[in-house]
Amino acid sequence: MKKLVIIFVILFSFFSCDKKTEIGGICTDGYIHWGGEPAVDGLGWYFKGTAEIKYAVKLKELPPAFQTDSLAVTVCLLKTDEKYYCFCSQPMEVYAIKSI
């Protein structure tokens, strides 16, 4: 009986662990924007969605081919644990690009 309880506790703890990233991510339409040079307190490249993500999020490693201000894109993003600290009301969440 004790073995069964121990096995149950181990299985429960294994399946209840938090994941670091979302599986599958979020795919949405929106726009790529240039918020100024980060070295002088700008935002750099960020994404503002039109559906699932309606607020601005910082993009991690935006490919050079997509570095155009006000570029309309469909993008799939994965949320990271990182925060981008700026002169905003609160830190921006950082998303990695899965596909664009």
Side-chain angles (χ1 to χ4, degrees), residues 29-43:
D29 296 325
Y31 295 90
I32 302 290
H33 293 287
W34 175 247
E37 187 62 42
V40 290
D41 300 328
L43 296 177

Side-chain angles (χ1 to χ4, degrees), residues 17-86:
C17 293
D18 289 334
K19 304 292 183 207
K20 293 289 182 191
T21 58
E22 297 174 28
I23 297 174
I26 299 169
C27 295
T28 185
D29 296 325
Y31 295 90
I32 302 290
H33 293 287
W34 175 247
E37 187 62 42
V40 290
D41 300 328
L43 296 177
W45 294 106
Y46 66 95
F47 174 80
K48 187 160 185 186
T50 57
E52 289 85 2
I53 300 176
K54 294 183 180 182
Y55 49 90
V57 296
K58 181 76 172 146
L59 295 175
K60 186 174 186 175
E61 300 175 12
L62 179 66
F66 296 98
Q67 293 181 359
T68 303
D69 193 27
S70 300
L71 178 67
V73 294
T74 299
V75 64
C76 293
L77 302 170
L78 293 173
K79 186 176 179 181
T80 66
D81 292 335
E82 298 176 44
K83 297 284 185 188
Y84 182 76
Y85 295 94
C86 56

